[in-house]
Structure formats: structure tokens, C-alpha cells
Amino acid sequence: MKLYDYILSPSCYKVRLMAALAGVKLDIRPVDFHPGAEHKGTELLSLNPAGSIPILEDGDLLLTESAAILVYVAAKAAPEWLGSASPGEAARVQQWLSFSGRLTASLGGARLTEMLLRPGDIGALQTQGVLALRELEAALVEQRLRGMRFLAANRPTIADIACFPYVALAPDGGVSLDPYPAIRLWSRALRGLDRFIEMPGIHRLHELRPEPYIEQGEA
């Protein structure tokens, strides 16, 4: 599989992370997203007229949406990540894949505005991001009351991978994660997975400060 990739893109990182967790080797094709805007050039627009990345090529197959790429990588190499143990679980995974788009638009938009000085109403983007984080926090609290540590099941699925990067990088857009203990516990659980990989701004579990309220044995 060839991945057209930008190292600082959370959407590209989702694919790299899922591939690592599934044991899939990617042929990485770096894209000069900033400042070169290579994703808007002739070559990449011929692959994805929307002018966005990631782009995944696998033989004759071409995928240009990160959620679809996550589904494909999991289906091909690690189907347990699809969350298909029951119709309800599969539906919850799909619901969180849709929700991840709101995180991209809000927290991702705030991050682009803050870091790359892209035009945008930073206040409105941050407000939308906070609303999404509050919704995610409430859902994770409910899951923990059911004895589940992840979004759709008691094991990680592509739903978690779809939502994790933009949440973890929310501070880059001026949105603090301090008010969200359930989100931070969930983030630690993901960082503690075997074969977890980092990206700039997202560190491995052992590099994080301890959470003072974590129960013994939890990550």
C-alpha cells in the first residue's frame, strides 16, 4: 500500500497508526503540504480532485478519505478492529467515524488556523471543538460505567483511531484537555497499545506525566 503522507497531518497519522497496529507495512510517499501545497498540484489533484490527503493506493484501488482507508486497512489485515461483533457495535463504530469528521472540522480547523495561519474564525472553531469534546467526554464516562474503556466496545476499534489524533492535538489549536479526565484516560489506553506509534505532538505513554487519579492497574 502506498500512502501519500504529510508527517504533521492528523488524518495521515490515523492511517499510519492503524497500519502499525495491524502490522501493515506502508510505502510512504511524503507530500510537501506546507509550505509547498503539493496536494494542490497537478499530480495529486489527478488522484484526488478534492486536493486533500491522505491518499492510499493499493494496486488498482484508490482511496482518498481517512475513514474509508481505516476500514480498508482493518478489513484487509485486522478485521477485529472493525467492531463487527454485533450489529449494535458495528453501528456504534460507524457513528463515531461520522463524529470524527466534526473533530476534524472544529479542532483540526482551529489547529490549522493557529499553526499555519489559515483563514478561519478561531473563536468559533474552538467553541465547536469544546462542544465536541464535551460530547466525547460524556460518552466515555458512560462507557466506563458499563465497564468499557473504548468508544464502541471494550477493545479498541477504528472508531478510536478515527477520533484520537485531533483530540490529542487539541491544545495545538488552543483547546485544553484539562477539563476532560475520561478523554485523557482513553488517550492513555490507546497510547499503551502494543505497536502504538507517535507523531510530532503525540507522545508515547511512558513520556506522559502520571495522572494522579488513575486507579491502580489502569492506563
Side-chain angles (χ1 to χ4, degrees):
M1 299 183 195
K2 178 188 287 187
L3 176 67
Y4 292 81
D5 175 73
Y6 177 53
I7 190 65
L8 296 179
S9 163
S11 291
C12 292
Y13 169 63
K14 295 178 190 183
V15 179
R16 298 197 307 272
L17 177 58
M18 185 68 252
L21 294 169
V24 172
K25 181 175 176 55
L26 295 173
D27 175 14
I28 300 293
R29 159 58 161 89
V31 174
D32 183 4
F33 182 88
H34 179 80
E38 186 183 0
H39 57 299
K40 301 293 188 182
T42 303
E43 177 191 355
L44 294 192
L45 285 176
S46 70
L47 298 176
N48 182 12
S52 63
I53 49 174
I55 301 169
L56 186 82
E57 286 184 322
D58 190 20
D60 293 333
L61 180 69
L62 181 69
L63 296 172
T64 61
E65 297 290 340
S66 61
I69 297 172
L70 293 181
V71 170
Y72 179 70
V73 172
K76 196 165 186 185
E80 66 275 12
W81 283 82
L82 294 175
S84 54
S86 69
E89 187 175 287
R92 286 194 296 273
V93 168
Q94 292 300 316
Q95 181 166 285
W96 286 112
L97 290 180
S98 296
F99 176 84
S100 71
R102 289 170 50 196
L103 297 172
T104 303
S106 58
L107 298 175
R111 183 172 179 267
L112 284 174
T113 301
E114 284 281 277
M115 294 184 66
L116 302 184
L117 304 179
R118 293 291 180 87
D121 185 337
I122 186 66
L125 291 168
Q126 289 170 337
T127 297
Q128 293 161 13
V130 166
L131 291 174
L133 288 174
R134 289 175 179 171
E135 187 174 336
L136 180 63
E137 175 78 5
L140 286 167
V141 168
E142 288 294 321
Q143 284 290 85
R144 292 182 71 81
L145 290 174
R146 298 186 187 105
M148 298 185 182
R149 301 169 68 194
F150 299 99
L151 283 173
N154 196 30
R155 66 187 188 289
T157 67
I158 56 173
D160 301 284
I161 304 306
C163 293
F164 170 68
Y166 282 103
V167 171
L169 293 169
D172 286 350
V175 179
S176 173
L177 295 177
D178 289 348
Y180 310 108
I183 286 176
R184 297 200 306 276
L185 286 173
W186 166 73
S187 173
R188 295 180 75 90
L190 290 170
R191 294 171 200 252
L193 295 173
D194 290 341
R195 297 190 287 199
F196 178 88
I197 61 170
E198 70 274 19
M199 71 165 278
I202 297 182
H203 306 292
R204 294 177 184 269
L205 181 60
H206 71 270
E207 296 173 333
L208 299 181
R209 291 179 299 174
E211 293 278 3
Y213 51 80
I214 292 180
E215 299 172 16
Q216 187 174 5
E218 279 196 299

